[in-house]
Amino acid sequence: MKDKTAIVGVGATPYYKRGQSVPETELSMACTAILAALDDAGLTVKDLDGFAIYSSSCDPAVVGATLGVEEIRFAATLTSGGGGSAGSLGLAAAAIVSGQAEVVVSLMTLQQATRRLGGTRDSNAVQVSGGSPYGGGGIPPGMAFQAHSGLLSPGHSFSLLTQRHMHLYGTKREHLAQVCINQRDNAIKRPTAIRKEPLTMDEYFSARMISDPLCLFDYTMESDGAVAVITTSAERARDLKQKPVYIMASANGGMGRWGSAIFTYFQMPDEYFASSGHRPVARRMYEMAGVGPNDVDVALLYDHFSPLVIMQLEDYGFCPIGEGGPFVADGNTRYGTGRIPVNTHGGHLSEAYIIGMTHVKEAVEQLRGVAVNQVENCEIALVTGGPAGLPVSGTLLRRD
Amino acid sequence: MSETVVKTGVYPVPLKDPYADETTQPFWDYALQGKLSASKCRTCGTCLMPPQPRCFVCQGKEFEQTVLPGTGTIYTFTVVRHPLRPGLDEAVPYVSGIIELDGTQGAGARVQANIVNCDPEKVRIGQKVKVLFEKVSETYAVPRFEPA
């Protein structure tokens, strides 16, 4: 699969604060992003024949019919949520390399006007009405083992992971703050970013604590918008409008006992409980590409929560396990001066939260040489999917 | 049973019944007796919490509900300070934790629980805790943990 396919087009809607995209809909925004991506590639709807998505981001049946796609030859999703963002590119590559489809779209579209992602877990439980003793009222038997703990959201779950990482390795809130500050600095120059006010260490430490050790700034924004990318074969890519961005390698999965990891399941073995879950995926991805962390020029790491940037730096081999905090504090991930700039677009923490697809877009722009915070001599970019339930994923992209 | 007064540090449980099936009923039966138990694989002795159809170590499907000492160690925790929904304003700050249970192998049988009767600022990973059950209804006694 290595280098046999390339991203040839990227398209996006504006990014909005949660719920502000109305009267657009998830479907209308998906269509806008897909058409923009096709146009960017110098292709049209007539060329589109595959959907390789994650988190069931759209229904290919509905989008295909709405756009008037002629024939769909591949329609598949990675099975987790944000964990599959980078891996959807590998899925697209697999579709193309296997000869099933030629022009494949990967995308995310998101609107949070009537429902919020990661909304409180007991919202099912509070709607209880009476029922039979055995599974009545539509409440599954497992719910009673969770409903009493007070753990209500992904943020609570990641707080648990972070607390243990701090206990094991001495990671500090100052390290998390630096992740947030670096990304805010990257967002300031970007017209598309939602949060553009500079963030100081003092402001970080004055912020409201949501659930120890995470404060307001450690949490991703909630946004609306859509981003789509078009992948095709390397041969076809050479004839199209933009310089191809080759998919060097992609891996999805994780250790079996990583499981649904921390949303309702906390049974991951000690060895990797306090981690992003990406170690096995990183290893396979680098192996497929034939490169290592020292070859990566920019890292677009899924940042739903700041501490997971630190854990991914460790799991992708940029620094030893447990040393991610000091690695960030020492400036290694800063744009301009750091050895491995991270989230040069501001990421979920400062630009917008489109469940990982803005990281793909930024990687493509970096490798095309047109990024706002352009990394010099940028040849290889890492994009990761969200540390969360299995499968998680990682993809290496390289320039022409 | 009417709504109880919400106490700081004590997470108000929204369920009034465990909605048990044949596999999970034994846990809740023991809970009503104030006993902590886990599903134990008859083949290899691995404990599971909550019960599952298969043992993840040996893939066996025969289990025995086994009473545990009721003590454990805090594996990790968080102090929830921001009320995420109405009705939690008086409950925060409360501590939610993951506890490894004595009498089990740890991972695979960890429980999530509200840790009570403690100062949230003093809770530590590695701290010893013991279970206490709060009877929420005639069918449902909820496990919480407190410093041992």
Side-chain angles (χ1 to χ4, degrees), chain A residues 320-388:
Chain A
I321 305 292
E323 295 185 21
F327 186 76
V328 170
D330 289 345
N332 289 293
T333 58
R334 276 192 71 78
Y335 170 65
T337 51
R339 352 194 298 239
I340 177 64
V342 167
N343 293 341
T344 43
H345 56 330
H348 293 151
L349 297 172
S350 288
E351 182 181 51
Y353 178 57
I354 312 290
I355 321 188
M357 281 308 287
T358 57
H359 297 56
V360 176
K361 182 171 193 288
E362 176 68 2
V364 171
E365 290 182 9
Q366 286 286 349
L367 295 172
R368 285 180 180 174
V370 298
V372 169
N373 296 316
Q374 182 64 48
V375 171
E376 264 185 61
N377 302 320
C378 191
E379 292 188 10
I380 293 178
L382 168 66
V383 183
T384 65

Side-chain angles (χ1 to χ4, degrees), chain A residues 122 128-129 133-134 136 141 144 147-150 152 159-160 163-164 208 210-212 257 264 266-268 270, chain B residues 11 14-15 18-21 28 49 56 75-79 81-82 85 94 96 98 108-110 112 125 140 142:
Chain A
D122 67 357
V128 167
S129 54
Y134 287 89
H148 55 82
S149 67
L152 299 176
S159 299
L160 294 172
Q163 195 88 279
R164 186 143 181 103
R208 175 161 46 105
I210 311 278
S211 53
D212 292 9
R257 291 294 293 172
T264 54
F266 297 90
Q267 312 297 350
M268 305 88 86
D270 278 338
Chain B
Y11 175 73
L15 288 187
Y19 296 90
D21 62 11
W28 302 112
M49 180 74 84
F56 65 92
Y75 188 73
T76 187
F77 70 97
T78 184
V79 182
R81 299 192 189 269
H82 177 67
R85 59 167 171 81
Y94 63 79
S96 295
I98 305 301
R110 296 188 190 122
Q112 45 178 294
I125 289 175
Y140 188 34
V142 151

Side-chain angles (χ1 to χ4, degrees), chain B residues 13-61:
Chain B
V13 183
L15 288 187
K16 301 300 173 216
D17 186 87
Y19 296 90
D21 62 11
E22 296 88 346
T23 334
T24 61
Q25 189 65 53
F27 179 89
W28 302 112
D29 288 341
Y30 273 124
L32 284 168
Q33 296 172 42
K35 293 183 186 157
L36 187 67
S37 66
S39 189
K40 191 167 181 151
C41 175
R42 283 188 204 267
T43 310
C44 73
T46 299
C47 289
L48 303 184
M49 180 74 84
Q52 300 296 339
R54 293 281 175 163
C55 172
F56 65 92
V57 172
C58 74
Q59 294 79 46
K61 56 183 185 169

Side-chain angles (χ1 to χ4, degrees), chain B residues 86-130:
Chain B
L88 291 181
D89 295 62
E90 270 79 51
V92 295
Y94 63 79
V95 182
S96 295
I98 305 301
I99 294 150
E100 289 204 325
L101 301 174
D102 294 337
T104 73
Q105 75 282 350
R110 296 188 190 122
V111 294
Q112 45 178 294
N114 175 209
I115 300 170
V116 296
N117 299 333
C118 63
D119 176 354
E121 316 308 319
K122 299 216 165 82
V123 177
R124 294 285 176 266
I125 289 175
Q127 192 172 352
K128 289 290 189 205
V129 290
K130 60 188 194 309

